[in-house]
Amino acid sequence: MTTLPANNPFRRGPQGADRTWPLLGYAAVTAALLIFLRGSVADGPARLLQPVLFGAFLLSLLFAYQWRAAGWAKTAVFALGIVFVLPFMGRDNTSYFDLVIQMLIFGALALGLNIVVGLAGLLDLGYIAFFAVGAYLWGVFGSPQFAEVSGNAAFATGINANFFWLFIPLGVLAAALVGVLIGLPVLKLKGDYLAIVTLGLGEVIRIFANNLDVTNGPQGIDAIESAPVPWLNSLAGTLGFAPDQYRLFFLYILVLIVIGIVILVNYRLDRSKIGRSWIAIREDEVAAQAMGVPLLRTKLLAFASGASFAGAMGVIFAAKQTFIDPKSFDYFQSIGVLSMVILGGMGNIAGVLLGAVVVTMLNLMILPTISEVLQGSFPNINPNLDPSKYQRLIFGLVLVLMMLYRPEGLLPSARRQAEMHQDDDPPPDSLEADNALQAGTSEVLSPGFSTRGENERTGSER
């Protein structure tokens, strides 16, 4: 029999000493620095500290999830960030609110794509098309564009904004339906062929949006409304938010609720029979079919599930931006969402969310801040040296380094980490296994690792 060492990634339960007080101390210190130094880092070269302080505070939320600590301490850290620090920073500087909402929107998109790519193993490069379906669904009906489409002047500002609540589930259904329609003709393909076809179908959706009159073509749709929530506006006013911040406050609360539902659904799917079927298809499609997994139905369910999250977030995105056009849904956006999944760690909910936060901060906060500081400090600097112009190059280099040194991602699942490093250490011999069994420090697994390791050795090595 073979054994795995005591620190193997499949061992259940939290590892390490209790870190309740270090967690509380780190969260309190980073929150205090972020709040009390916000004025000192608002101008000049000191602005470079803004992403550092904000990122350091966001790490406290990750540590609250990862570290072994008391439940009440973890709850306190999350409550500190979600209820107090982030709304306070958003009230003081609207750009923080906008950034956090974007992080959560792209986090939900990445979780949806994680189902298709991370669990089912279907490389989808046209995923942003489902996002566009939800955005245009509400964009057409919730804006003056509906008066143009219907020819009825009574809809000069769109339909009643209270229908926004109805269009969120409608966006889920519409995107899921498009996911099934896109999935049906391509699911017989695998690997690179599937990626190319889904990329083409995603571009077809964008080209439709660019040429149809109902979407107003390349000019896009503006003046998109969101649902009025008077009691929430009153609460925002009581908390000191300005009237022009009410919309972002409402969307912040809404996105938190939706991302919570998305995480719960992902968690349940990952641990369900359907989730195990997706993983079986990803690992070996032939073996999965031989064991009774219905390939077509299971793959279509993966496409529909992933697309549904994008559809819901598309509706919210349209309400947040108040303007959408086809350029918002090009294939670079699909690549960006896929990068979040790969960077964070495929198959792991927390890892995917971490990837979304890192990529969004890099695109919307870190590089723009560096560019503004350089332009302010050196007015005559060559425009070609603007870091924001090299966004794709910088992120491409980051991905190359990740593939070389940590291919499993920043925060991989235990299964993914074991798959990527299963051949790093040679399997122990029988004497080591017997000693480990007597010591009781290892788990006994099947002899498959030993057999495979023996077969990979050459005759001279044996």
Side-chain angles (χ1 to χ4, degrees):
M1 300 294 287
T2 58
T3 61
L4 286 182
N7 62 348
N8 81 82
F10 288 113
R11 185 180 292 273
R12 295 182 179 179
Q15 301 293 323
D18 184 273
R19 298 179 179 178
T20 297
W21 295 112
L23 173 63
L24 292 174
Y26 179 84
V29 169
T30 53
L33 290 175
L34 180 64
I35 291 174
F36 293 114
L37 294 181
R38 68 186 188 280
S40 304
V41 298
D43 300 304
R47 289 195 61 190
L48 293 174
L49 292 177
Q50 281 186 349
V52 175
L53 295 175
F54 190 60
F57 173 72
L58 292 180
L59 276 178
S60 67
L61 303 181
L62 175 63
F63 293 154
Y65 175 80
Q66 286 289 104
W67 284 358
R68 181 182 179 186
W72 64 267
K74 295 187 175 188
T75 302
V77 171
F78 279 110
L80 173 70
I82 294 172
V83 178
F84 177 71
V85 176
L86 295 179
F88 180 85
M89 295 300 297
R91 186 187 66 180
D92 185 71
N93 186 344
T94 307
S95 63
Y96 281 99
F97 246 165
D98 186 79
L99 177 63
V100 171
I101 294 172
Q102 288 285 87
M103 286 179 179
L104 295 175
I105 288 176
F106 281 109
L109 290 178
L111 286 173
L113 186 59
N114 182 57
I115 289 178
V116 182
V117 177
L119 297 183
L122 305 172
L123 186 54
D124 183 2
L125 295 183
Y127 182 72
I128 207 69
F130 311 128
F131 189 49
V133 168
Y136 273 104
L137 182 66
W138 174 242
V140 170
F141 285 90
S143 70
Q145 179 65 17
F146 188 58
E148 298 290 333
V149 174
S150 63
N152 190 342
F155 298 110
T157 59
I159 62 174
N160 191 318
N162 287 307
F163 281 103
F164 173 80
W165 300 109
L166 175 63
F167 273 77
I168 293 179
L170 285 179
V172 170
L173 294 175
L177 177 61
V178 173
V180 171
L181 294 177
I182 288 179
L184 277 174
V186 305
L187 289 183
K188 292 184 179 180
L189 303 175
K190 300 178 183 178
D192 298 339
Y193 299 100
L194 176 63
I196 293 171
V197 173
T198 53
L199 174 62
L201 290 174
E203 282 296 283
V204 167
I205 298 294
R206 185 187 65 82
I207 291 172
F208 276 153
N210 201 43
N211 291 276
L212 294 178
D213 292 334
V214 68
T215 61
N216 202 28
Q219 297 180 358
I221 301 173
D222 59 0
I224 302 173
E225 296 291 334
S226 63
V229 187
W231 67 269
L232 197 59
N233 292 341
S234 300
L235 176 62
T238 303
L239 295 176
F241 288 88
D244 60 346
Q245 296 177 321
Y246 289 172
R247 176 193 285 260
L248 285 179
F249 181 76
F250 158 68
L251 291 173
Y252 172 72
I253 302 296
L254 176 61
V255 171
L256 280 176
I257 295 172
V258 174
I259 195 72
I261 296 173
V262 169
I263 291 173
L264 178 62
V265 172
N266 265 266
Y267 182 85
R268 298 301 299 171
L269 285 174
D270 189 19
R271 287 154 178 78
S272 68
K273 180 180 178 181
I274 297 172
R276 293 192 294 271
S277 298
W278 286 334
I279 294 172
I281 291 175
R282 183 193 68 189
E283 298 300 327
D284 193 322
E285 189 172 302
V286 176
Q289 188 176 23
M291 295 302 294
V293 176
L295 295 184
L296 180 63
R297 186 174 65 190
T298 307
K299 288 182 177 181
L300 285 179
L301 188 57
F303 265 91
S305 300
S308 62
F309 300 148
M313 281 302 175
V315 174
I316 297 174
F317 177 78
K320 172 189 172 294
Q321 297 296 104
T322 70
F323 172 79
I324 55 173
D325 67 345
K327 293 181 181 178
S328 304
F329 312 104
D330 59 14
Y331 73 95
F332 285 112
Q333 298 293 336
S334 291
I335 300 300
V337 178
L338 179 61
S339 299
M340 297 172 187
V341 177
I342 295 174
L343 181 64
M346 286 194 298
N348 187 22
I349 294 175
V352 170
L353 290 174
L354 176 62
V357 169
V358 171
V359 174
T360 307
M361 276 197 67
L362 181 67
N363 292 340
L364 301 183
M365 189 176 195
I366 297 176
L367 292 180
T369 300
I370 295 175
S371 297
E372 291 173 5
V373 170
L374 284 177
Q375 292 171 3
S377 303
F378 308 98
N380 298 323
I381 191 172
N382 190 330
N384 291 326
L385 297 179
D386 186 352
S388 61
K389 292 184 177 181
Y390 299 96
Q391 180 186 93
R392 292 168 187 164
L393 173 63
I394 294 172
F395 195 71
L397 291 175
V398 171
L399 285 179
V400 169
L401 294 175
M402 286 294 300
M403 292 300 100
L404 289 175
Y405 299 107
R406 194 172 176 82
E408 67 271 23
L410 294 173
L411 196 63
S413 64
R415 182 188 295 112
R416 178 72 174 172
Q417 190 171 18
E419 289 173 357
M420 300 301 295
H421 295 283
Q422 60 188 8
D423 295 324
D424 288 356
D425 299 317
D429 57 25
S430 59
L431 180 60
E432 292 174 346
D434 291 340
N435 293 336
L437 283 173
Q438 294 175 5
T441 58
S442 300
E443 295 183 38
V444 180
L445 302 180
S446 70
F449 286 98
S450 178
T451 303
R452 180 177 56 200
E454 185 69 17
N455 290 336
E456 290 176 350
R457 297 166 63 191
T458 63
S460 61
E461 290 174 339
R462 293 180 184 178

